[in-house]
Amino acid sequence: MKGKKQPDDRRNNMKRFCLVAAILLIFSAYAHADVTYKIKKGDTLSGVSKKFNVSAKEIRSLNNLKKSSKLKIGHTLIVKKAGPKTYTVKKGESINRIAKKFNIDAKELKDINLLDSDSLKPGQKLLLEAEPEIETAKINLEKEIENISESEEIAQMNAKDRVILFAKKFINIPYKFGGNSIMGIDCSAYVQRVYSLIGITIPRSARLQFKEGKIVDRDSLSIGDLVFFRTYASFPSHVGIYLGNDLFIHSSSKGKKVSIDSLKTPYYFKRFIGGKRFIIDNAEIEITKQLQEG
């Protein structure tokens, strides 16, 4: 039995090897192929450029089109030219030099690779374009936030419900120190962005945010309040948004993404320094008026 089984195993292993090799070859060919799009009825050059996040000028250049050229239904356009997806840093190279070499904006190159500084090491691998799934997620999230912001139904919600709705839309967005975009965002930029979506303007840094708003102690925290911590510095250096039940949402350098944590977690419990309130509900406004009149 063993003598018969071994050749079968070898044949099966060979089949699996050939299948994997074929898949890798197909994937390799696909990964380095031009990105194309077949024109449909009603398509415009500006519409196609927005769909693929490429300028209309670049599409015209890739397809030798003039400004006066009309799109023909069924015609296939090249929307992105195949090129290297990654680059290995050589000794003495800088972000600006590499960006210029591949005709990429230096800031965009840093954002794609979630870099906090311009310093690079020889042998370090850089992405030259965002992974398709990340780019798609970014575009979808931006569209979703835009649609929600313009919704009349959402506009009827109270500010606390809206701030939590928007805050949770950013869950799993990568953390990036100094970052201020969906490709990577830090704690203070995150709460600033969320608050801006409900029409409240607050400073950019946690340190300055802590200087504004109404002081709130731990026992009086309400949904939507900002919660502050001393982490790497003696001043307020981390901030999140209170969700109720001792939970808060923040862009976490520890978790490397926007996530929900508990104020009771020893790390945050020891470092909590207070809350600040920027969202004043109608009941609180009425009480304030009564106190002023009294």
Side-chain angles (χ1 to χ4, degrees):
M1 292 293 290
K2 286 183 180 179
K4 290 182 179 179
K5 190 175 181 180
Q6 286 175 349
D8 287 342
D9 287 344
R10 282 197 292 270
R11 278 196 294 271
N12 288 335
N13 287 338
M14 182 60 71
K15 285 179 181 177
R16 280 195 290 269
F17 174 79
C18 291
L19 179 60
V20 171
I23 291 170
L24 288 173
L25 282 170
I26 293 168
F27 176 78
S28 176
Y30 173 77
H32 292 88
D34 293 339
V35 178
T36 60
Y37 178 75
K38 196 170 186 177
I39 300 299
K40 299 172 186 173
K41 187 177 180 180
D43 278 334
T44 62
L45 193 59
S46 63
V48 175
S49 69
K50 286 178 183 177
K51 185 181 181 74
F52 290 93
N53 198 27
V54 180
S55 70
K57 182 179 179 181
E58 188 175 345
I59 294 176
R60 281 197 296 268
S61 175
L62 288 172
N63 295 274
N64 297 316
L65 297 175
K66 297 177 181 178
K67 278 191 176 183
S68 58
S69 299
K70 292 184 179 180
L71 300 182
K72 295 180 180 179
I73 297 172
H75 179 71
T76 299
L77 287 178
I78 298 172
V79 292
K80 283 187 180 180
K81 198 70 179 169
K85 306 295 181 186
T86 61
Y87 179 75
T88 303
V89 178
K90 297 181 177 65
K91 187 176 180 180
E93 286 188 314
S94 65
I95 279 285
N96 288 331
R97 184 175 172 183
I98 294 169
K100 189 174 181 180
K101 182 175 183 177
F102 292 99
N103 195 29
I104 305 170
D105 179 73
K107 184 180 182 303
E108 183 183 350
L109 186 60
K110 285 177 67 176
D111 285 346
I112 290 170
N113 291 277
L114 300 180
L115 297 175
D116 297 330
S117 69
D118 291 344
S119 62
L120 298 173
K121 296 178 181 177
Q124 182 177 348
K125 285 194 178 293
L126 295 179
L127 285 171
L128 296 178
E129 59 181 61
E131 296 288 356
E133 60 271 22
I134 295 175
E135 187 65 29
T136 301
K138 175 188 172 185
I139 293 168
N140 289 343
L141 178 58
E142 286 174 340
K143 284 182 179 177
E144 186 178 2
I145 288 172
E146 184 181 347
N147 291 337
I148 292 173
S149 301
E150 295 173 354
S151 166
E152 290 186 15
E153 184 181 346
I154 301 300
Q156 299 303 315
M157 294 169 61
N158 66 54
K160 291 183 178 182
D161 288 339
R162 280 186 289 135
V163 80
I164 299 309
L165 173 69
F166 284 119
K168 289 184 175 180
K169 290 296 177 186
F170 288 81
I171 283 179
N172 291 327
I173 292 298
Y175 169 86
K176 180 189 174 187
F177 183 79
N180 193 22
S181 77
I182 289 173
M183 298 298 287
I185 196 166
D186 67 19
C187 64
S188 55
Y190 166 64
V191 300
Q192 184 191 47
R193 176 77 185 276
V194 171
Y195 264 56
S196 73
L197 291 169
I198 64 165
I200 296 177
T201 302
I202 60 174
R204 170 64 177 83
S205 70
R207 191 174 187 174
L208 292 177
Q209 289 166 0
F210 190 67
K211 291 181 178 180
E212 299 194 10
K214 178 184 175 182
I215 298 172
V216 184
D217 60 32
R218 187 192 296 267
D219 295 332
S220 302
L221 286 170
S222 179
I223 291 172
D225 288 343
L226 297 189
V227 287
F228 291 86
F229 309 85
R230 287 194 184 98
T231 51
Y232 64 86
S234 58
F235 51 81
S237 50
H238 189 62
V239 60
I241 300 171
Y242 188 65
L243 300 177
N245 298 319
D246 285 316
L247 299 176
F248 70 103
I249 186 168
H250 60 144
S251 185
S252 168
S253 60
K254 288 170 67 66
K256 301 297 182 185
K257 61 183 179 180
V258 174
S259 56
I260 296 173
D261 279 299
S262 173
L263 288 174
K264 292 182 178 179
T265 303
Y267 179 85
Y268 294 111
F269 185 86
K270 288 189 294 184
R271 291 167 174 79
F272 178 79
I273 56 172
K276 284 298 183 83
R277 183 164 299 160
F278 293 85
I279 301 172
I280 309 297
D281 58 30
N282 292 333
E284 195 164 349
I285 291 171
E286 188 60 35
I287 291 170
T288 303
K289 281 183 180 178
Q290 289 174 5
L291 289 172
Q292 288 174 346
E293 290 171 0

